[in-house]
Structure formats: structure tokens, C-alpha cells
Amino acid sequence: MAKWGEGDPRWIVEERADATNVNNWHWTERDVTGWSTDKLKELLLGLRVEGPEGSCEVTDVPKLDGEASINNRKGKLIYFYEWNVKATWTGTSKTGIKYKGNIDVPNLSDENDMDDLDISVVLCKDEPNTPLTELMRKEGAKKVRAALGSYVGHLKSEFTQGMILPTANGAASKPQPSQTKVKVDKTQIGPSSSAPPSSTGVKISTCKFSLKETFLTSPDELYRTFINQNMVQAFTHAAAVVDGEKGGKFQLLEGSVNGEFTELVQDEKIVMKWRFKTWPCEHYATITLNMKDRGNETELKLECKDVPTGEEDRTKEGWKRYYFEAIKQTFGFGARLY
């Protein structure tokens, strides 16, 4: 199956490589500016937030100034991108009054961390003041930041293949870690922490906890949300690998989280081995999700055991914020419609 962009004139590709470069000692460069322009528009257009005052939506992306490229140098993939993003948002009050404003992101680049992006949200000139501006500045800016982080995740995941040249023995060399300075996994579950010391062959102290949450959806929809790759990518706002079968592996948020599904009971139960990459080597927690149909809603009970001591709060708050709240916000499973 052809990958997106193959044969597409918008996907401008420039590659340079020495024919004798069998050990990746030279370099290959790919220009992905055209692809990036399309991807940024795709991720930003239609972003929507709602509040008591009304709703706001990104309705246009009139300006994308910049460039992006990927380089393979001595077997290392290096990502370069620099963008000045300008978008337009439209707000609609509860009484139906329309307002227009602008969004400006002048510093999306490999030199800046996602949390350091300047996201300016203003009303257009001569528009009357409205509380929708504050809604867009708070909640809308969060969604814009997540969408731009997703762009970087897609950039890394969609173009790795083909950038690694053959080695002398004919096998493709494995890419070294990217040298880009932008850390997409700032959207990872919980704050980053230093890795605990390796405990291979050493028993570590662990703890357990449980959580309960209610979702305004059916058990089958909630079940699919956790095992369907497209849905996982939607609520994490980043590229992911999810094989939703028993024994299937998953990797989320630039590799910050990975694991394996060990038991799946259709629309009722999911059991998985789950870990942060910063945990001791090969140590996994066991997470069980039980779903109960409560009429117009589904009750989810999470049981988590074998979490390294000291990681309980980070793991618990991460599941609340980056799974439960993200799922509700992305798919509307937390809002009642009247």
C-alpha cells in the first residue's frame, strides 16, 4: 500500500546521497516543507472549544511561513523546521453573535520546546470585547499547542522509513535518537522525571491503586477508544502504534509509554502490561480496565498494580488527565447534550 504523499506533487522531496555511501558516512536530506504545510493546516483547521459563553473554532490558516527538512547524517536522523503560523478563529456566543480573531505562533521550530511556544490570541480590530477571547486564550491555545506537537510527532513517524541508507552488509542501519530539541513528549503522561536506577535481577518496591470514572458513551465505544490506533492518536494528539489484539503491542507519545495487551474481553475488559520508558528496564505495571453499562453512560474501573514506589502519584494523575480527561474532551464523552 502506498504511503500518503507518494506520487503527490505537493510532497516535494529532495535527496542527496553518495552512491558509494554504504556505511552512512555521508548524508541524505529530504525537504518536507510542502507536506508540512498541508499537515499543519489539517491539524489546525476545525479545532474547537466550548464554554458557558459559547464556542470558538479555528476557521482559516492564511499564513504558514517557513520550511522543514529531515537529514540523515552518519546514521543519525536530524529534524529541522521553523514556522511562523497565523490562523483565524471565529467565536459564536450563546445568543448567536459572531466574533473574529487571530492566532499568531511566531516560533515553532526545532530550537524551542513545545511549552516555550508563544501563542498569541487576539480579537480582530473593531470587534467588541467578548469573554470568548479569554476562552480561546486558555482552552483554545492548549488545543493549538497540542496540534503543533502532533505535527512534530507525525513528522518523525512518517518519514523515518526511507531515510536510513543500506549498510555494507545490505541491512538498514537503525536510526540514532533524533537530535531535534523539540520535546513532543511534553504531552506525555505526567511530568518528566529522572529514570530510576536499573533493577535487572533486583526486586523493586511497588504499590497499587484504583480509579473510577464515568463516561457518557456506550461500553463498546469506550472499549474501542483504548485499542483503536486512530482513536488513540486522536486523544493523545501524537503518532502512536497500537495493535488492538491479545498479545498486541502499543507505543504512545514518542515512546514515553509502551506495553502489551494481555487480555481482551469485547466491550467489557482490557488487561495490559504498561510502563513509562523511565522505569527500570523491563519492569511493567499491570493495568485492568473494567467497563460496566449504566444505561446512558459507562462506568470504568481501573486497577493498577506493580507501580514502582514513588511513581504512584505521577501514574495516577497521568491516567486521569492524559487518558480520562483527554478522551472526554476529544470525543465528547464528558458532556451531556440537551
Side-chain angles (χ1 to χ4, degrees):
M1 179 181 294
K3 292 184 176 296
W4 190 94
E6 289 182 355
D8 191 326
R10 296 172 300 172
W11 196 61
I12 303 172
V13 177
E14 180 183 7
E15 294 183 344
R16 306 185 188 94
D18 192 315
T20 62
N21 179 22
V22 293
N23 287 305
N24 287 338
W25 292 118
H26 298 290
W27 56 280
T28 302
E29 180 178 301
R30 174 169 288 176
D31 182 349
V32 292
T33 301
W35 174 89
S36 293
T37 299
D38 291 337
K39 179 58 71 173
L40 284 166
K41 288 183 178 181
E42 173 191 326
L43 293 169
L44 290 170
L45 285 173
L47 283 183
R48 182 181 176 87
V49 291
E50 295 188 9
E53 308 86 357
S55 63
C56 300
E57 182 176 341
V58 177
T59 52
D60 191 17
V61 184
K63 184 177 180 181
L64 285 170
D65 287 342
E67 60 183 352
S69 64
I70 306 173
N71 293 266
N72 176 1
R73 299 187 179 182
K74 295 185 178 180
K76 294 181 180 179
L77 290 182
I78 308 172
Y79 301 83
F80 295 102
Y81 49 92
E82 186 172 4
W83 294 99
N84 181 355
V85 181
K86 293 186 182 295
T88 301
W89 63 273
T90 300
T92 306
S93 71
K94 289 293 187 181
T95 57
I97 300 174
K98 300 282 187 181
Y99 301 86
K100 282 196 175 183
N102 296 314
I103 303 168
D104 186 14
V105 186
N107 61 337
L108 174 62
S109 82
D110 55 278
E111 295 293 329
N112 296 316
D113 187 277
M114 276 295 150
D115 285 347
D116 296 331
L117 290 184
D118 297 324
I119 301 178
S120 171
V121 177
V122 297
L123 267 175
C124 287
K125 188 177 180 180
D126 298 330
E127 288 279 358
N129 289 332
T130 170
L132 291 175
T133 307
E134 195 61 24
L135 173 66
M136 197 63 191
R137 282 176 180 160
K138 289 184 177 179
E139 301 305 321
K142 289 180 185 177
K143 288 207 170 185
V144 169
R145 193 182 304 275
L148 297 178
S150 181
Y151 155 70
V152 178
H154 283 288
L155 178 68
K156 292 179 179 180
S157 63
E158 294 192 24
F159 290 97
T160 299
Q161 186 175 1
M163 286 299 294
I164 305 303
L165 301 178
T167 58
N169 62 9
S173 64
K174 213 174 179 182
Q176 303 265 339
S178 162
Q179 293 184 358
T180 178
K181 296 181 182 179
V182 172
K183 302 171 185 174
V184 179
D185 57 3
K186 282 293 181 180
T187 54
Q188 70 184 16
I189 299 178
S192 177
S193 63
S194 58
S198 175
S199 61
T200 304
V202 178
K203 185 175 181 179
I204 66 172
S205 176
T206 63
C207 58
K208 62 182 180 179
F209 65 85
S210 62
L211 296 170
K212 187 181 290 187
E213 192 65 59
T214 300
F215 296 82
L216 299 178
T217 188
S218 60
D220 62 307
E221 276 294 316
L222 187 59
Y223 178 88
R224 287 200 312 120
T225 301
F226 289 101
I227 67 168
N228 180 278
Q229 179 167 302
N230 290 333
M231 297 183 78
V232 171
Q233 290 182 147
F235 75 76
T236 60
H237 303 289
V241 176
V242 181
D243 181 4
E245 302 286 343
K246 181 177 179 180
K249 311 283 184 160
F250 58 84
Q251 180 171 294
L252 319 180
L253 302 168
E254 290 293 289
S256 295
V257 169
N258 64 79
E260 178 183 336
F261 297 112
T262 57
E263 182 182 353
L264 296 174
V265 180
Q266 184 75 36
D267 305 337
E268 294 180 9
K269 182 178 180 181
I270 298 172
V271 183
M272 66 184 85
K273 292 165 54 180
W274 188 99
R275 62 176 266 109
F276 278 122
K277 67 179 179 182
T278 55
W279 285 1
C281 183
E282 294 304 312
H283 181 85
Y284 291 84
T286 298
I287 291 180
T288 302
L289 304 176
N290 284 297
M291 284 152 267
K292 297 291 184 183
D293 191 347
R294 302 298 186 194
N296 293 327
E297 57 190 28
T298 299
E299 180 185 273
L300 175 68
K301 186 174 183 182
L302 177 149
E303 299 284 349
C304 182
K305 63 181 182 180
D306 298 328
V307 175
T309 300
E311 291 285 290
E312 177 183 358
D313 289 344
R314 177 192 177 200
T315 306
K316 183 186 295 184
E317 291 306 311
W319 268 87
K320 287 180 181 177
R321 181 176 179 183
Y322 294 99
Y323 275 89
F324 298 166
E325 291 180 17
I327 287 170
K328 287 183 177 184
Q329 291 175 3
T330 302
F331 303 112
F333 293 169
R336 294 186 183 275
L337 300 178
Y338 296 95

